[in-house]
Amino acid sequence: MFRNRAVSLVLVGLFVWVTGCSSYSQIELGEVADHGKVRVTLTDGAQRDIYRATVEADSLKGRLDSEDTAVHGIPLDQVSVVEVGGSDAAKTFLVVLGVTVGALLAAAAIYSASCESFC
């Protein structure tokens, strides 16, 4: 029984670590070449991830996935926002630490409650 809880706690911790404190920050069009992947929001609200993006003439050009060999272009007048993803390691660490401490306290409370009736 304890083993299953431990595995569950580890999986929850990993889930929080992976998805927890990542965010996107807006960048200027001229900065897209400095990043491997950017998220583009179009004027119609659609979002696309563009890999190895560059600005050429009146288009934002890049690949639609990391394995794509074809270069696709989006007219600049259709680009509303360009963002780059990042993560805040300190916030993520604090969230994971909080989840871990909370889980350990809950496990200790459950153990002490079961020990009082059986010990």
Side-chain angles (χ1 to χ4, degrees), residues 36-104:
K37 178 179 112 174
V38 295
R39 182 172 69 178
V40 177
T41 303
L42 304 177
T43 54
D44 66 0
Q47 292 181 332
R48 294 200 174 105
D49 289 335
I50 305 294
Y51 294 82
R52 292 184 264 164
T54 59
V55 176
E56 296 179 20
D58 61 346
S59 297
L60 177 68
K61 295 186 178 182
R63 291 158 172 74
L64 297 180
D65 64 50
S66 58
E67 303 298 320
D68 195 1
T69 57
V71 176
H72 303 275
I74 301 172
L76 291 180
D77 61 355
Q78 291 182 9
V79 174
S80 175
V81 177
V82 179
E83 299 170 301
V84 63
S87 63
D88 188 336
K91 284 183 184 177
T92 303
F93 175 75
L94 291 175
V95 168
V96 171
L97 181 63
V99 168
T100 304
V101 169
L104 290 174

Side-chain angles (χ1 to χ4, degrees), residues 3-52:
R3 219 167 144 177
N4 291 335
R5 286 185 190 156
V7 170
S8 296
L9 291 174
V10 168
L11 290 175
V12 167
L14 287 173
F15 177 76
V16 169
W17 183 268
V18 170
T19 61
C21 297
S22 62
S23 63
Y24 284 88
S25 58
Q26 189 170 344
I27 62 171
E28 297 295 324
L29 278 172
E31 299 174 29
V32 296
D34 298 337
H35 304 283
K37 178 179 112 174
V38 295
R39 182 172 69 178
V40 177
T41 303
L42 304 177
T43 54
D44 66 0
Q47 292 181 332
R48 294 200 174 105
D49 289 335
I50 305 294
Y51 294 82
R52 292 184 264 164

